[in-house]
Amino acid sequence: MIPTGWHPVHRPADGEHVGYLVPDGSPDRVVPVTLVGSALGPAQDPATATALLAGRGLAALDRRWWCRLPVPLTDGTDAAEPGEDWAWSAVVLVEASPEGCRVRLEYAEPAELRAQARLPVPVGDLLRAPPGVSQPPAR
């Protein structure tokens, strides 16, 4: 569930939800955060952070991510509390909402092609961001 202090950002052109502004503790700075809770940049002024999310918020989600998953992956796996024997696997995001997100294996065996795992949002350390995308500040 999205923390109450996170402020949603919508793209001005079409109203699409593209991320959140997260207070960083200073009066005039926020961290631009994607729909899954990964920081898109450092703390900055709200106008700059909003423009960054409007321009790159959704595109930042469209890439490889890493998630600890069981082998084999079965559809509907709850990945909120990974098992000790679960391995880091390359995944892609299928869906993101304030209630949670779903991922699928980037390279799946035939039996796992349609299998998806569920994660809470914000994802925290459950989903590792690709290089260049950091995590939001701890709250």
Side-chain angles (χ1 to χ4, degrees), residues 9-99:
V9 173
H10 298 272
R11 204 168 33 206
D14 59 7
E16 182 75 25
H17 185 198
V18 293
Y20 300 92
L21 299 179
V22 178
D24 85 330
S26 60
D28 299 324
R29 308 208 33 99
V30 294
V31 177
V33 173
T34 68
L35 293 175
V36 297
S38 58
L40 192 55
Q44 51 201 277
D45 68 90
T48 303
T50 298
L52 179 61
L53 284 168
R56 293 189 24 224
L58 295 181
L61 299 176
D62 186 23
R63 59 183 73 197
R64 173 183 294 153
W65 294 82
W66 295 90
C67 183
R68 286 183 57 202
L69 297 171
V71 177
L73 177 63
T74 57
D75 195 35
T77 295
D78 182 353
E81 294 184 29
E84 300 251 343
D85 60 337
W86 291 13
W88 286 101
S89 301
V91 298
V92 293
L93 286 161
V94 175
E95 179 182 9
S97 76
E99 292 77 38

Side-chain angles (χ1 to χ4, degrees), residues 93-114:
L93 286 161
V94 175
E95 179 182 9
S97 76
E99 292 77 38
C101 69
R102 291 183 296 129
V103 297
R104 68 168 174 78
L105 292 170
E106 182 177 37
Y107 302 106
E109 296 293 326
E112 300 171 300
L113 287 175
R114 297 179 191 260

